[in-house]
Amino acid sequence: MLAPRHWTALGLTCLLALLQYQLWLGRGSWPQVQDYRQQLAEQTRSNELARQHNEQLASEVRDLEGGMTMVEEIARYELGLLRPNEVFVKVTPLGAGPR
């Protein structure tokens, strides 16, 4: 039979083991917290990229709502738009002409 002081030591050892289990393997354990921090960092980066993209889209929407300059610019570069009485001049470097 164990002496009372041995029971106290055994009880404290069991309590310490239980606390260590919670720290390393239980809910909210150290490895799980590290994993959550990594997921949070990745999500923060993803949110920042989405925020920048949303700001760019919002800027384009404001430009489109505010006037026709953005539409005209896109039409000029992508579709070759010319206004009435405009003259289109294409300049080619020397030596790049037809052969």
Side-chain angles (χ1 to χ4, degrees):
M1 182 103 174
L2 293 175
R5 65 186 165 121
H6 289 126
W7 284 108
T8 305
L10 182 62
L12 289 174
T13 302
C14 289
L15 182 61
L16 180 63
L18 180 65
L19 290 174
Q20 286 294 314
Y21 172 80
Q22 279 296 95
L23 178 64
W24 296 105
L25 302 173
R27 182 173 174 225
S29 65
W30 179 255
Q32 191 178 34
V33 168
Q34 291 300 100
D35 186 43
Y36 287 154
R37 285 183 180 163
Q38 181 182 3
Q39 289 176 11
L40 178 63
E42 291 172 5
Q43 188 64 47
T44 302
R45 282 191 297 272
S46 175
N47 288 351
E48 180 61 26
L49 290 174
R51 187 190 60 76
Q52 289 174 357
H53 183 68
N54 287 344
E55 285 180 1
Q56 179 183 4
L57 290 175
S59 173
E60 289 179 12
V61 166
R62 278 191 304 273
D63 287 345
L64 290 172
E65 288 175 344
M68 295 300 293
T69 56
M70 183 73 160
V71 174
E72 184 178 337
E73 181 181 337
I74 292 171
R76 285 181 177 275
Y77 287 110
E78 293 181 7
L79 304 174
L81 172 76
L82 290 177
R83 287 186 171 176
N85 299 325
E86 278 188 339
V87 177
F88 176 72
V89 178
K90 183 175 182 179
V91 179
T92 58
L94 288 175
R99 293 183 179 204

